[in-house]
């Protein structure tokens, strides 16, 4: 086993750009997808008692296998695997984003069974999570901002957001005033607006956390 990478010690605010890595090897994407699928099954399964017991045993074994290798946020490959969707970050709602020809952010989002609220609809908190990530990415990518924090996020829920369906996202910068980046975006099913949000991100000063 190769030696672990040295940690990127955070100076000041600690918003160092993620250093790309290949740690985790060729199966890290498979590992992330397996965890996501397990989360889906954990929400969906109506299994016999003995199957739940066996599954719990296996999950505990997997946790024991991984526990000795817990690393800090600067060393873990999560969020630093630039070759993988969401940079290998399990936390985020799965998205595929790109800069459009008209200098906006476009792409897709996929709420899975794990993100279910009730009645086939994505939980409202996961929709807000999506927008915080989407608009933060927009502020950083289009605003050329290395480090910023969310000052506020306002979400308008227009229609039910379905799970297990590939949806469309669109976002852009509305205005930049000094350190303030005002951003807005939409979540769409075809041409139907399911939810929209606007937010303010504030660029961090050197040393701010």
């Amino acid at each position: 086993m190769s030696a672990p990478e040295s940690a990127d010690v955070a100076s000041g605010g600690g918003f160092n750009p993620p250093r790309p890595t290949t740690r985790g090897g060729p199966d890290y994407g498979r590992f992330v997808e397996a965890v996501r699928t397990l989360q889906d099954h954990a929400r969906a399964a109506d299994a016999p008692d003995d199957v739940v017991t066996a599954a719990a045993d296996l999950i505990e074994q997997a946790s024991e296998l991984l526990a000795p290798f817990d690393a800090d946020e600067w060393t873990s490959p999560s969020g630093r695997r630039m070759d993988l969707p969401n940079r290998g970050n399990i936390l985020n709602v799965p998205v595929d984003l790109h800069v459009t020809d008209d200098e906006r952010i476009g792409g897709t989002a996929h709420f899975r069974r794990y993100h279910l609220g009730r009645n086939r609809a994505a939980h409202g908190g996961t929709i807000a999570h999506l927008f915080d990530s989407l608009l933060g990415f927009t502020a950083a990518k289009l605003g050329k901002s290395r480090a910023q924090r969310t000052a506020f996020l306002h979400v308008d829920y227009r229609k039910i957001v379905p799970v297990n369906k590939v949806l469309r996202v669109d976002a852009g910068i509305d205005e930049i005033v000094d350190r303030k980046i005002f951003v807005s975006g939409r979540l769409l099913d075809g041409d139907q607006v399911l939810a929209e949000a606007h937010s303010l991100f504030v660029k961090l000063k050197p040393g701010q956390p």
Side-chain angles (χ1 to χ4, degrees):
M1 184 173 61
S2 60
E5 298 173 352
S6 60
D8 290 328
V9 178
S11 60
F15 260 87
N16 298 341
R19 188 173 68 185
T21 186
T22 58
R23 296 286 295 179
D27 277 336
Y28 195 75
R30 177 177 162 225
F31 168 75
V32 170
E33 181 60 24
V35 173
R36 287 192 181 278
T37 302
L38 176 61
Q39 290 175 321
D40 291 337
H41 287 310
R43 287 296 311 274
D46 180 17
D49 293 358
D50 60 329
V51 172
V52 172
T53 298
D57 289 342
L58 290 171
I59 294 168
E60 287 174 352
Q61 290 175 32
S63 291
E64 289 174 6
L65 180 66
L66 292 169
F69 304 99
D70 282 356
D72 63 38
E73 64 181 288
W74 309 107
T75 308
S76 169
S78 177
R80 299 196 300 131
R81 282 295 298 261
M82 306 305 187
D83 57 317
L84 297 175
N86 299 281
R87 300 190 310 200
N89 188 340
I90 296 169
L91 176 65
N92 292 346
V93 175
V95 294
D96 182 11
L97 305 176
H98 60 272
V99 179
T100 63
D101 292 340
D102 56 350
E103 288 298 307
R104 293 179 61 81
I105 298 297
T108 59
H110 177 203
F111 292 89
R112 299 174 60 138
R113 176 61 184 266
Y114 175 70
H115 303 112
L116 178 68
R118 298 291 281 177
N119 198 26
R120 302 187 301 277
H123 189 284
T126 66
I127 297 168
H129 184 181
L130 167 71
F131 275 120
D132 194 34
S133 298
L134 168 66
L135 300 184
F137 177 84
T138 302
K141 193 75 172 178
L142 301 184
K144 305 296 190 295
S145 175
R146 186 184 67 83
Q148 67 280 321
R149 291 280 192 187
T150 312
F152 72 72
L153 172 68
H154 178 93
V155 181
D156 291 311
Y157 300 91
R158 303 298 187 192
K159 296 180 182 295
I160 293 298
V161 174
V163 296
N164 293 327
K165 186 174 186 179
V166 177
L167 305 172
R168 188 163 62 88
V169 293
D170 169 73
I173 291 178
D174 298 325
E175 187 180 17
I176 298 178
V177 181
D178 297 324
R179 294 168 51 220
K180 298 178 179 180
I181 309 174
F182 296 89
V183 194
S184 61
R186 302 181 300 166
L187 175 65
L188 306 102
D189 184 1
D191 292 329
Q192 275 198 334
V193 177
L194 305 179
E196 51 192 342
H198 62 271
S199 64
L200 166 62
F201 289 86
V202 178
K203 297 181 182 179
L204 298 183
K205 296 178 179 179
Q208 280 189 300

